[in-house]
Amino acid sequence: MIYLVIPCFNEQEVLAETTRQLAAIIDADTRIFYVDDGSRDDTWALIQQLHRDFPQVSGLRLAHNVGHQQALWAGMEVIAPEAEAIISIDADLQDDIAVIPRMIADYRNGADVVYGVRRERKTDSLFKRWTALAFYRLMTAMGGGTVYNHADFRLLSHRALEALLSYPERNLFLRGLVPMIGFRVEHEYYDRKERQAGESKYPFRKMLSFALDGITSFSVKPLRCILLLGFVFLLVALGVIVWALVQHRHGQTIQGWTSLLISVWFVGGSLLLAIGIAGEYIGKIYKEVKRRPRYFVMERL
Ligand code: UDP
Ligand code: MG
């Protein structure tokens, strides 16, 4: 069975339509698996109803709202033993469901990971487009590999799913983790639509904290920046010291200026350097405590 794993948070306005559209395009070996992420509206009652009406629909109800990434993880973890492959997609069907059969075809042709990639962002506001672009750029600069314009619409084969689920971390940023597992990868392109109904469950506040999470769970570069800054400041301090002493010699200073200036620059630089060195160790500790798997075997002869 191939399972569509769909996290839902207060999605009562869209679920019936989503199910109708999905049921129309999937074939006999595909199932729909809803994860109710602690909704406060009638989402769960609706999922129960859909489960009665459609043989392909089943669901999972989480005890409280844990957020999109964790809800998706929960769904994938619960369904993994039965799933030959999973496809994760949002409940609002902003992602083109016509891509689903193409993803499955790629999977049948040997792909383990199929990324759904947005071709354009016409339906997103200018603000969302720019912040997203800035984010992908920053993320790449910081060394976390993400697939540009890919969110959480993807297919994972059973072995790719097992690999993903073996990551022990709690700070989830799936679109950063998935590229790390490797295996055979495909991309499918589509245009993203407007939300069918209801409103976005991702206000700017959540987006920002998600982006921060992404960067800090994949990169210790911010810490290294402090170290670099420390070096730069110490170098500048050397220059300032020479310059201040020369000024002092020529008597072009007021009393106390030379010693004060030298102390400020030298102590400042030393402090930054010291914090940077401590940061290097913290970065190492951070990498270790994540206990990430070292490798996955793809084939063996
Ligand atoms: N979602 C969730 N838990 C949350 C927030 C969102 O399960 O706390 C789900 C939501 O129901 C939807 C998906 O995550 O299926 C993406 O949310 P949304 O479409 O609101 O985000 P946007 O497309 O605006 O970024
Ligand atoms: Mg959406």
Side-chain angles (χ1 to χ4, degrees):
M1 281 299 161
I2 297 176
Y3 280 91
L4 301 171
V5 180
I6 309 179
C8 314
F9 176 57
N10 295 343
E11 297 286 9
Q12 62 180 10
E13 291 103 336
V14 300
L15 276 188
E17 178 59 19
T18 297
T19 309
R20 196 189 60 74
Q21 288 189 26
L22 285 174
I25 61 135
I26 60 180
D27 48 23
D29 55 3
T30 308
R31 294 259 186 285
I32 301 171
F33 190 57
Y34 288 120
V35 180
D36 176 14
D37 182 15
S39 297
R40 287 180 275 272
D41 62 2
D42 289 329
T43 298
W44 181 244
L46 198 60
I47 293 173
Q48 286 174 309
Q49 182 61 45
L50 292 164
H51 172 63
R52 281 190 291 269
D53 296 344
F54 292 83
Q56 307 98 314
V57 174
S58 56
L60 180 74
R61 186 188 197 183
L62 301 183
H64 66 139
N65 180 238
V66 293
H68 176 214
Q69 301 283 292
Q70 307 285 355
L72 184 52
W73 185 280
M76 294 192 301
E77 199 162 52
V78 168
I79 212 65
E82 295 156 54
E84 170 196 347
I86 65 107
I87 296 172
S88 50
I89 184 169
D90 290 348
D92 56 8
L93 295 194
Q94 280 187 284
D95 306 303
D96 188 1
I97 59 171
V99 171
I100 291 173
R102 273 154 49 199
M103 284 179 159
I104 295 176
D106 288 337
Y107 163 69
R108 300 263 183 245
N109 284 328
D112 289 286
V113 179
V114 186
Y115 295 111
V117 182
R118 281 172 227 170
R119 211 179 274 123
E120 273 173 273
R121 284 172 164 264
K122 273 196 223 120
T123 55
D124 283 346
S125 66
L126 208 60
F127 179 70
K128 187 145 187 169
R129 251 184 281 172
W130 283 358
T131 47
L133 185 69
F135 168 70
Y136 285 108
R137 289 255 167 87
L138 188 65
M139 191 74 194
T140 313
M142 288 287 166
T146 47
V147 178
Y148 182 65
N149 263 347
H150 158 72
D152 282 301
F153 183 26
R154 72 177 79 83
L155 178 143
L156 293 171
S157 72
H158 186 76
R159 64 176 179 177
L161 182 60
E162 296 267 270
L164 180 65
L165 292 173
S166 69
Y167 279 84
E169 53 216 82
R170 296 295 181 262
N171 283 304
L172 277 188
F173 188 71
L174 290 170
R175 65 190 81 166
L177 274 185
V178 175
M180 294 175 81
I181 63 180
F183 294 121
R184 221 164 282 151
V185 172
E186 277 299 339
H187 298 83
E188 286 294 346
Y189 295 86
Y190 65 95
D191 294 317
R192 190 164 154 100
K193 292 181 258 186
E194 301 271 12
R195 204 172 219 289
Q196 308 171 43
E199 29 186 70
S200 174
K201 309 313 185 265
Y202 262 105
F204 184 63
R205 178 178 49 81
K206 268 199 204 172
M207 255 169 59
L208 201 65
S209 97
F210 187 50
L212 254 179
D213 241 14
I215 288 164
T216 50
S217 21
F218 282 87
S219 171
V220 289
K221 274 201 183 162
L223 289 174
R224 184 147 298 164
C225 288
I226 302 177
L227 189 65
L228 271 177
L229 213 63
F231 273 121
V232 171
F233 267 57
L234 264 190
L235 267 180
V236 175
L238 284 182
V240 170
I241 288 170
V242 172
W243 174 66
L245 286 176
V246 168
Q247 296 290 57
H248 181 69
R249 246 205 113 89
H250 291 280
Q252 292 165 341
T253 58
I254 53 168
Q255 221 179 10
W257 178 82
T258 314
S259 53
L260 209 60
L261 194 75
I262 290 177
S263 320
V264 166
W265 276 90
F266 188 71
V267 173
S270 313
L271 278 179
L272 268 180
L273 193 70
I275 296 172
I277 291 172
E280 281 292 304
Y281 287 100
I282 294 175
K284 295 241 152 53
I285 296 169
Y286 183 50
K287 273 191 183 157
E288 287 298 330
V289 296
K290 274 188 285 200
R291 307 229 131 261
R292 282 180 175 172
R294 293 164 206 265
Y295 59 84
F296 304 111
V297 176
M298 181 144 142
E299 267 163 85
R300 189 179 157 178
L301 299 179

